Amino acid sequence: MILTLEARADAQRVRAELAERGVWVSPLIGGASVQLLVEPHSPRLDPSSLLAIAGVASVSAPESPHPLVDGHPASIEVDGIPLSGPALIAGPCSIESAEQIDAIAERTARAGSRWLRGGAFKPRTSPYSFQGYGEAALRWMRAAADRYGQRVVTEVLAEQDVELVARYADVLQVGSRNMQNFALLRRAAAVKKPMLLKRGMAATLSEWLQAGEYCLLYGASAVVFCERGIRSFDPTTRNLLDLGAVAQLAHVHRLPVVVDPSHGAGRRDLIAPLARAAVAAGACGVMVETHDQPGSARSDGPQALPPEPFAALAAELQPSKGAA
Ligand code: PEP
Ligand code: MN
């Protein structure tokens, strides 16, 4: 946003007033009149409130690159289940068998989770790692979710699998590695279901929002943004969970945002404190990897919560529901 000052305006006083409102500016040099460029780390303000400052002649705001995202509701529900509370999206990294997903769904549902996650198609760093059981896993997951009254959230990895995954899923997850795979976003959006869009591990907030715009433009009924950590220099956590971005999405953009502390930290011991922090920052839900036997998990065992600590976390985050 650019503010143009009146010819006789006291620029220092205008800047002081802006600072008073938390607005950072830098002067643009060379024009006929004094202009102030609003820095991106300023709060989002209504241009008319800036025009009201004495000495401000005009305010020009660029068009939003994501008008559909701007109009998106702050909260959503999927087939009658609100994604709020906070919502607990829980389940294994990968779906390993019908028995495994059933046992996990049973325990997480009893703890108050109405959302079952799990990977049938797994994006793995190594081509030699387990890639998921595909349609069989989707079938097992749908059956378990239906048995315990849960909604299914699962990742679609490739364009050609979209229709297949959509037959089983209530929410189509697009993973971090595919946040800007626009061909996949378009195809997934076209089935008109809600999408859960994980943040790319090096994506700016603006890139993430514009990826969300793709989803809405091409037909998704809703977009839920999922912060899952960004790349950092510190190997003591798997990623750096960016709760500043969560606060911005929740409080500045007023969008549904959930947080995945499992991939965010890659450490089971940090899931509970980071889940609490996520909710405090404005997340409407958390996505937590859970496993009944983390020691034998086919993927991401070290960051999966076993059933008891998951139930304790659920009881803390949703005290009114009462975990069993
Ligand atoms: C997942 O949630 O299963 C997953 C692979 O996460 P991400 O895309 O955030 O790495
Ligand atoms: Mn995982």
Side-chain angles (χ1 to χ4, degrees):
M1 212 168 342
I2 294 174
L3 314 186
T4 302
L5 304 195
E6 289 164 356
R8 281 189 304 281
D10 177 347
Q12 282 313 322
R13 219 185 46 73
V14 173
R15 290 187 71 166
E17 268 218 42
L18 291 167
E20 201 68 48
R21 298 166 191 224
V23 178
W24 300 85
V25 290
S26 47
L28 293 175
I29 315 290
S33 43
V34 177
Q35 292 192 306
L36 302 174
L37 174 71
V38 178
E39 299 283 358
H41 58 291
S42 299
R44 239 191 3 184
L45 289 170
D46 182 9
S48 62
S49 73
L50 298 175
L51 255 184
I53 297 174
V56 175
S58 64
V59 178
S60 59
E63 243 170 66
S64 169
H66 40 73
L68 299 175
V69 166
D70 294 342
H72 192 283
S75 58
I76 67 156
E77 60 171 49
V78 178
D79 296 329
I81 299 192
L83 190 84
S84 60
L88 304 171
I89 307 170
C93 180
S94 352
I95 301 158
E96 298 164 10
S97 67
E99 294 71 30
Q100 176 241 23
I101 191 70
D102 187 272
I104 294 172
E106 194 266 326
R107 297 298 294 269
T108 58
R110 196 157 14 117
S113 163
R114 314 209 53 195
W115 306 85
L116 185 61
R117 64 142 286 143
F121 294 94
K122 293 304 303 175
R124 303 305 301 282
T125 304
S126 163
Y128 303 109
S129 300
F130 174 58
Q131 309 282 319
Y133 284 120
E135 184 169 8
L138 292 171
R139 225 177 316 109
W140 302 330
M141 186 187 204
R142 183 77 255 173
D146 288 345
R147 196 165 300 126
Y148 303 108
Q150 294 177 310
R151 298 289 174 265
V152 163
V153 182
T154 193
E155 175 163 357
V156 57
L157 196 55
E159 278 175 74
Q160 70 268 18
D161 297 329
V162 164
E163 288 74 21
L164 170 70
V165 175
R167 279 203 290 280
Y168 296 92
D170 298 303
V171 178
L172 291 174
Q173 175 174 328
V174 171
S176 198
R177 290 154 192 82
N178 274 320
M179 188 204 85
Q180 286 186 307
N181 179 342
F182 300 119
L184 175 63
L185 294 181
R186 283 196 298 262
R187 181 92 169 251
V191 301
K192 304 193 186 310
K193 289 200 169 193
M195 292 173 69
L196 183 137
L197 183 62
K198 294 194 109 180
R199 183 184 187 176
M201 50 190 94
T204 64
L205 197 74
S206 166
E207 289 164 341
W208 194 11
L209 290 167
Q210 289 180 76
E213 186 78 8
Y214 262 90
C215 302
L216 294 175
L217 183 61
Y218 286 92
S221 61
V223 181
V224 178
F225 293 83
C226 178
E227 165 62 35
R228 49 77 73 204
I230 51 177
R231 275 280 162 91
S232 112
F233 50 84
D234 189 340
T236 58
T237 53
R238 186 172 171 183
N239 291 293
L240 178 70
L241 193 66
D242 182 2
L243 294 179
V246 174
Q248 285 195 72
L249 287 178
H251 298 290
V252 179
H253 296 276
R254 304 207 171 279
L255 290 166
V257 53
V258 303
V259 169
D260 170 354
S262 298
H263 292 91
R267 299 171 49 148
R268 188 181 308 154
D269 59 345
L270 298 184
I271 290 177
L274 290 176
R276 289 182 203 114
V279 174
C284 63
V286 291
M287 174 182 265
V288 175
E289 286 189 340
T290 58
H291 203 288
D292 53 341
Q293 290 161 18
S296 52
R298 299 286 305 261
S299 56
D300 288 350
Q303 68 189 31
L305 273 190
E308 293 77 23
F310 175 75
L313 175 64
E316 190 189 325
L317 295 181
Q318 301 186 330
S320 61
K321 302 257 165 75

